[in-house]
Amino acid sequence: MCSHGHSHNCAAEHIPEVSGDDVHRYDMVSYIDMERVTTLNESVDGAGKKVFKVMENRDDKTEFVESDCDHELLFNIPFTGHVRLTGLSIIGDEDGSHPAKIRLFKDREAMAFDDCSIEADQEIDLKQDPRGLVDYPLKASKFGNVHHLSILIAANFGEDETKVYYIGLRGEFQHEFRQRVAIATYESRAQLKDHKNEIPDGITKSLF
């Protein structure tokens, strides 16, 4: 399993809860290459990929993943293309099996627990969140262009095993994101041909 000798020196950030119409959308599940998702230390083979549900089914507690011999779980999540990740949500149980700390690694395919001693791209201290109301923002500088994400659940709230019902990812497929930026950039430019009839005659005559 992962080495627990490395230090965690990142301070816990204040994470606001969101509800109602202000809830974030976690729609990146459609861009996950689900056939290639792997979960290490899951007690039931294939259970880990089932926590990547559409947002509307995140309250479904019939499907979940539980760790096997200790509290750690390691998810390897390939995408069908390059994505921009901006946040995530995790739902666990109301007891000590809920994840308490995660470590995120970008673009390191087929990670094993022995690889987890390297510096993570981001570490997050979690709240117990059985309803999925807490949004955890991801660093834009780290996750602006990602084709593979690894999520290590490094600690829970005290139980021997960890249980996860839902992991939601917020962001955009890079093609869609770049297309919107290109359109916005184009529309923000003043096109002279669109304003040729608005140029005062006085200014036009002064050019000759």
Side-chain angles (χ1 to χ4, degrees):
M1 293 301 171
C2 276
S3 168
H4 297 281
H6 56 276
S7 61
H8 299 284
N9 54 14
C10 61
E13 302 175 14
H14 174 67
I15 305 295
E17 293 189 4
V18 293
S19 60
D21 294 336
D22 294 327
V23 70
H24 291 285
R25 295 296 307 175
Y26 303 96
D27 295 331
M28 298 306 292
V29 64
S30 60
Y31 301 116
I32 295 176
D33 188 350
M34 207 63 71
E35 293 299 316
R36 297 173 53 225
V37 171
T38 60
T39 308
L40 279 63
N41 197 38
E42 57 185 357
S43 59
V44 177
D45 288 344
K49 64 181 62 181
K50 295 181 180 179
V51 304
F52 298 98
K53 312 167 185 175
V54 296
M55 186 177 177
E56 287 70 23
N57 294 340
R58 64 180 177 169
D59 293 327
D60 177 12
K61 299 298 178 68
T62 62
E63 292 184 328
F64 58 88
V65 62
E66 193 167 21
S67 62
D68 189 11
C69 61
D70 61 18
H71 59 270
E72 290 184 318
L73 283 166
L74 178 58
F75 300 88
N76 283 308
I77 310 157
F79 296 97
T80 56
H82 287 258
V83 298
R84 173 176 175 261
L85 299 177
T86 56
L88 60 80
S89 172
I90 295 183
I91 294 178
D93 231 332
E94 299 183 18
D95 57 19
S97 69
H98 192 292
K101 181 184 289 291
I102 60 173
R103 305 182 71 226
L104 306 178
F105 307 86
K106 62 167 287 189
D107 297 342
R108 293 183 176 272
E109 297 185 21
M111 283 193 74
F113 285 108
D114 289 342
D115 303 317
C116 297
S117 58
I118 64 173
E119 182 180 359
D121 291 293
Q122 186 169 349
E123 297 185 5
I124 303 174
D125 292 325
L126 306 178
K127 296 182 177 183
Q128 283 187 283
D129 185 27
R131 296 176 56 202
L133 298 180
V134 183
D135 178 78
Y136 300 97
L138 300 186
K139 296 177 181 178
S141 61
K142 295 289 187 179
F143 300 97
N145 187 20
V146 181
H147 68 80
H148 186 282
L149 178 70
S150 295
I151 302 176
L152 170 68
I153 295 179
N156 62 19
F157 285 92
E159 293 290 335
D160 292 335
E161 286 80 35
T162 297
K163 183 182 287 187
V164 179
Y165 290 106
Y166 172 79
I167 297 178
L169 296 173
R170 172 164 59 84
E172 295 176 293
F173 195 67
Q174 276 287 25
H175 174 71
E176 296 175 355
F177 172 68
R178 288 173 178 169
Q179 187 177 45
R180 284 213 297 274
V181 170
I183 292 173
T185 302
Y186 175 81
E187 291 179 345
S188 68
R189 293 173 179 163
Q191 300 296 319
L192 182 60
K193 61 181 176 59
D194 295 333
H195 304 283
K196 61 182 179 181
N197 294 328
E198 301 173 11
I199 300 175
D201 291 339
I203 295 177
T204 304
K205 292 175 182 178
S206 67
L207 297 177
F208 298 96

